[in-house]
Amino acid sequence: MGRSNDGELETKEVDIASVSSSRRHAANEPCVHKVGVPPKPNLLKEFTATVKETFFSDDPLRPFKDQPRSRKFILGIQAIFPILDWGRDYNLSKFKGDLIAGLTIASLCIPQDIGYAKLANLDPQYGLYSSFVPPLIYAFMGSSRDIAIGPVAVVSLLLGTLLQNEIDPVKNKFEYRRLAFTATFFAGVTQFALGFLRLGFLVDFLSHAAIVGFMGGAAVTIALQQLKGLLGIRNFTKKTDIVSVMRSVFGSVHHGWNWQTILIGVVFLAFLIFAKYLGKRNKKFFWVPAIGPLISVILSTFFVYITRADKDGVQIVKHIDKGINPSSVQQIYFSGEYLTTGIRIGAVAGMVALTEAIAIGRTFAAMKDYQLDGNKEMVALGTMNIVGSMTSCYVATGSFSRSAVNYMAGCKTAVSNIVMSGVVCLTLFLITPLFKYTPNAILASIIISAVLGLIDYEAVVLIWKIDKFDFVACMGAFFGVVFASVEMGLLIAISISFAKILLQVTRPRTAVLGKLPRTRVYRNIEQYPDATKVPGVLIVRVDSAIYFSNSNYVKDRILRWLTDEEEQLKANGLPEIQFLIVEMSPVIDIDTSGIHALEDLYKSLQKRDVHLVLANPGQAVMDKLHASKFADHIGHDKIFLTVADAVLSCSPKTVDEV
């Protein structure tokens, strides 16, 4: 293509058939269409379009176009605080739904928060703190209507494991807490930066299969860790792998187990599992598993108090500080030896928390049919964790169990998080002294019942059926967490996810095509057994862009197809291959190495006296074929719009007979 003097776009066409159109029409033959030569691209415009599609595919500036300055300011504030947008239509009916949902998830989060804080090796009040400030921040900045914010089991375990590798949480309690706040701060910075710089697509590099395996392994690890509280063991291993845990459990069977603790834990664990079963079996009873943990805490605490079972070896929570979050700004390490450690741990915990929150948000957004802005979510999550780190909170994110209860309870907006936060605030002011006699066994039971839902058996079976490589990624992450450590499982999950990407990029699929009977359609002969090969012609389709990472493989694979076909034809005494057609419709792009690979392929075919023909190259590919002069090299009459046109020009007589 080019431009005429008056600025109109001209189309420069390539003559690709030696037989004229009039002769084809006279013979009632199909018309061979010509391939248009794309216009010479403007480098700046092409670069701008690529950047825009990569980072701004959702066109965030669209609402601001053609708006007065005052309106742009209002829209900008609403973009930062979505509550100012949907809050205009908020009414009493919606508040009723949010009030019920908020109260319901509060009854679930309070006992969970105390238990999750123990997973992170922090005092119980820090779990409650983390369900007070972060949900308030998220309610004003988040775009999800259904996510319930607070500490979660996986992130708590990950944070606790990574932190205790650096500082002993018992001997150096204050420094450990400072490092926890530092990690939380940099987790928030990581999340905020990813959203602000619109790098949310990086989260997608962790495959769904790897996440399923990681979550399942973390659930098993968390459940095993709770055996300490469930059995009443005082001296327990700090390692998280299953071998160390089981050795610690059975090594203390004669002198470490407490039968009163076991009785309390097992009875209430059975009650919680039954409550979850009842809630799943009948959706009307969704509130039963939601309030089950709180009921268990109340009953078990009352039982321990009246029987004074704590004097018989039943471990209890003891003291929980009263009052709302104290400031922790001065406790964050902004310099010193632990700064780098805090950044590293925070980045890892922040990415895991972000992945879980985005997955949950997208799930419920799809169920309610509304759009979730991933980058806004990251900014909101990052901001709440930055503020949380300054108000004695540790890493908070979206909780799947609470979000599911929030959804089932009929939440309408993020106001349910505000209601939950208010209830937690009242708890911190008024009720924390009542948790003094709460047995650790009940917290262990609550956590075990909560994490069982993270083991998704159905997803694992589906992954096995769909993609065996995905199954390897899933199992690699699972066994890495269970038999090594949480961070090792995460590393394995990321490594296998990247390995899959590299394998697909460096070893793209190719296929030999054949003609479907009584059609002009050519398809993979392995998928369509009725498809027949055209005598003297080999048609190969490349199912990927051709880059430096796979160009040599693509060339070698095509030549291997040709060699195998020639050997088979020679063995059967059939005519040799005269034309090799490369179907390029799936080839969305090609680079310099790809062009060189095509040139080498062309030279190799010349030595074999085989003609190279290209079918249906896209605009980006066609532009580079012309820029490199490769189109001139092989001849413009060797580039066709369709495979059928290419075959027709190669073998006009035999193609109609096939």
Side-chain angles (χ1 to χ4, degrees):
M1 285 186 179
R3 291 192 178 274
S4 61
N5 294 331
D6 59 359
E8 293 183 354
L9 198 64
E10 294 181 335
T11 302
K12 177 183 174 185
E13 296 180 334
V14 182
D15 183 13
I16 57 169
S18 59
V19 183
S20 67
S21 299
S22 58
R23 288 179 60 187
R24 290 193 181 281
H25 284 301
N28 292 324
E29 293 181 3
C31 177
V32 177
H33 300 280
K34 298 179 180 180
V35 177
V37 180
K40 188 177 179 65
N42 182 300
L43 182 60
L44 179 61
K45 287 184 177 180
E46 186 176 16
F47 177 76
T48 303
T50 302
V51 171
K52 182 178 178 181
E53 187 62 28
T54 302
F55 298 101
F56 303 97
S57 58
D58 55 348
D59 196 5
L61 298 179
R62 182 183 302 171
F64 297 88
K65 293 178 180 177
D66 303 323
Q67 297 288 345
R69 185 172 298 178
S70 59
R71 180 61 180 164
K72 287 181 179 178
F73 176 77
I74 294 173
L75 291 174
I77 296 297
Q78 289 178 350
I80 299 173
F81 302 103
I83 193 173
L84 299 178
D85 182 20
W86 56 259
R88 293 177 300 171
D89 300 323
Y90 199 72
N91 53 42
L92 183 60
S93 176
K94 291 181 179 179
F95 178 70
K96 289 179 181 178
D98 288 334
L99 178 62
I100 295 172
L103 293 173
T104 306
I105 57 176
S107 67
L108 175 62
C109 85
I110 291 171
Q112 281 188 347
D113 290 343
I114 296 173
Y116 292 158
K118 286 186 173 293
L119 273 180
N121 299 314
L122 294 168
D123 291 333
Q125 63 267 20
Y126 293 101
L128 295 172
Y129 292 160
S130 302
S131 279
F132 173 46
V133 173
L136 285 178
I137 304 296
Y138 181 85
F140 283 86
M141 299 186 66
S143 58
S144 173
R145 306 172 194 169
D146 304 281
I147 278 187
I149 298 296
V152 297
V154 174
V155 177
S156 298
L157 176 68
L158 176 64
L159 198 64
T161 303
L162 295 177
L163 291 175
Q164 74 177 5
N165 289 338
E166 304 295 331
I167 301 176
D168 191 307
V170 178
K171 296 179 180 178
N172 300 299
K173 196 172 187 178
F174 180 69
E175 286 77 10
Y176 180 89
R177 190 163 60 241
R178 289 190 64 185
L179 186 57
F181 295 150
T182 305
T184 301
F185 176 83
F186 287 106
V189 169
T190 301
Q191 294 168 338
F192 184 92
L194 288 175
F196 183 78
L197 299 175
R198 307 187 70 80
L199 299 175
F201 61 87
L202 295 177
V203 177
D204 295 330
F205 279 94
L206 194 59
S207 68
H208 172 70
I211 293 173
V212 169
F214 174 75
M215 289 296 186
V220 172
T221 300
I222 292 168
L224 291 174
Q225 288 287 306
Q226 298 317 300
L227 292 177
K228 175 185 177 182
L230 197 68
L231 302 175
I233 302 172
R234 294 184 181 276
N235 298 319
F236 200 73
T237 180
K238 292 182 179 180
K239 297 181 180 179
T240 60
D241 64 283
I242 188 172
V243 176
S244 299
V245 170
M246 298 312 295
R247 185 183 292 122
S248 181
V249 168
F250 290 107
S252 57
V253 64
H254 296 297
H255 55 84
W257 292 18
N258 181 275
W259 72 266
Q260 294 98 326
T261 301
I262 296 172
L263 179 63
I264 294 171
V266 171
V267 168
F268 282 101
L269 178 59
F271 167 71
L272 291 170
I273 293 175
F274 175 75
K276 291 186 72 171
Y277 171 77
L278 187 63
K280 284 184 178 181
R281 191 171 181 83
N282 193 330
K283 299 299 182 183
K284 293 181 180 179
F285 295 116
F286 71 90
W287 52 271
V288 175
I291 67 171
L294 188 60
I295 292 174
S296 300
V297 167
I298 294 171
L299 293 177
S300 62
T301 302
F302 180 71
F303 174 77
V304 172
Y305 176 74
I306 63 173
T307 62
R308 296 313 306 264
D310 56 306
K311 293 184 177 181
D312 293 322
V314 175
Q315 299 177 46
I316 57 176
V317 172
K318 296 181 181 178
H319 178 71
I320 298 180
D321 287 349
K322 189 177 180 181
I324 60 172
N325 307 36
S327 173
S328 56
V329 177
Q330 301 299 325
Q331 297 185 43
I332 299 174
Y333 289 111
F334 290 110
S335 61
E337 59 177 319
Y338 290 121
L339 175 60
T340 305
T341 303
I343 294 174
R344 174 176 57 83
I345 296 175
V348 173
M351 289 293 287
V352 173
L354 194 60
T355 302
E356 186 170 356
I358 295 298
I360 293 168
R362 287 175 177 171
T363 299
F364 288 103
M367 292 171 69
K368 284 192 175 180
D369 193 25
Y370 65 88
Q371 294 297 319
L372 188 73
D373 190 323
N375 290 299
K376 284 184 181 178
E377 284 294 286
M378 295 177 194
V379 170
L381 292 166
T383 303
M384 77 179 194
N385 278 314
I386 291 173
V387 175
S389 69
M390 300 177 181
T391 53
S392 299
C393 303
Y394 73 96
V395 181
T397 187
S399 166
F400 187 81
S401 59
R402 293 182 214 172
S403 299
V405 170
N406 197 30
Y407 172 81
M408 294 298 295
C411 72
K412 303 300 180 184
T413 66
V415 171
S416 60
N417 275 292
I418 298 177
V419 174
M420 178 191 71
S421 179
V423 175
V424 172
C425 178
L426 292 175
T427 301
L428 286 166
F429 267 119
L430 305 173
I431 309 176
T432 50
L434 300 179
F435 290 109
K436 179 179 179 180
Y437 290 98
T438 300
N440 289 340
I442 196 62
L443 300 178
S445 300
I446 291 170
I447 293 174
I448 291 173
S449 65
V451 299
L452 289 178
L454 296 177
I455 305 175
D456 195 342
Y457 305 100
E458 295 179 356
V460 174
V461 172
L462 185 62
I463 290 169
W464 167 260
K465 292 179 179 178
I466 295 176
D467 192 320
K468 300 300 185 289
F469 197 95
D470 267 355
F471 181 77
V472 171
C474 180
M475 289 296 99
F478 177 83
F479 288 117
V481 173
V482 172
F483 286 97
S485 63
V486 177
E487 58 267 37
M488 181 58 68
L490 184 62
L491 180 62
I492 291 174
I494 295 173
S495 300
I496 295 179
S497 296
F498 272 99
K500 181 181 179 182
I501 294 172
L502 291 175
L503 184 63
Q504 291 176 336
V505 169
T506 58
R507 293 295 182 266
R509 295 185 179 183
T510 58
V512 173
L513 307 185
K515 183 175 181 290
L516 295 180
R518 299 176 297 280
T519 70
R520 299 183 76 232
V521 177
Y522 292 81
R523 290 291 183 267
N524 186 346
I525 59 174
E526 293 183 0
Q527 183 179 0
Y528 296 90
D530 293 341
T532 55
K533 299 177 182 177
V534 179
V537 179
L538 176 64
I539 309 167
V540 179
R541 186 183 67 212
V542 180
D543 293 336
S544 168
I546 304 177
Y547 292 134
F548 67 93
S549 58
N550 61 22
S551 56
N552 286 327
Y553 171 79
V554 170
K555 179 200 70 175
D556 294 340
R557 189 68 186 91
I558 292 174
L559 290 175
R560 200 154 70 245
W561 279 121
L562 179 62
T563 301
D564 293 344
E565 187 69 16
E566 286 179 335
E567 290 177 355
Q568 189 175 8
L569 292 174
K570 186 176 181 180
N572 296 326
L574 297 174
E576 297 181 347
I577 298 295
Q578 297 178 331
F579 296 91
L580 173 66
I581 300 175
V582 180
E583 154 69 308
M584 303 189 71
S585 57
V587 183
I588 57 174
D589 200 4
I590 191 170
D591 65 1
T592 307
S593 298
I595 296 293
H596 285 309
L598 289 181
E599 290 174 347
D600 292 341
L601 176 64
Y602 177 68
K603 293 175 183 177
S604 297
L605 294 178
Q606 279 186 316
K607 295 177 181 179
R608 301 188 184 202
D609 198 22
V610 176
H611 299 280
L612 176 63
V613 181
L614 305 181
N616 198 19
Q619 178 182 346
V621 175
M622 194 67 189
D623 174 63
K624 294 177 182 180
L625 291 178
H626 279 272
S628 63
K629 306 298 182 182
F630 182 74
D632 298 331
H633 192 51
I634 67 170
H636 292 296
D637 60 335
K638 293 293 189 292
I639 304 176
F640 295 86
L641 182 62
T642 67
V643 175
D645 291 341
V647 173
L648 192 63
S649 68
C650 297
S651 183
K653 293 183 179 180
T654 57
V655 71
D656 293 327
E657 298 171 2
V658 177

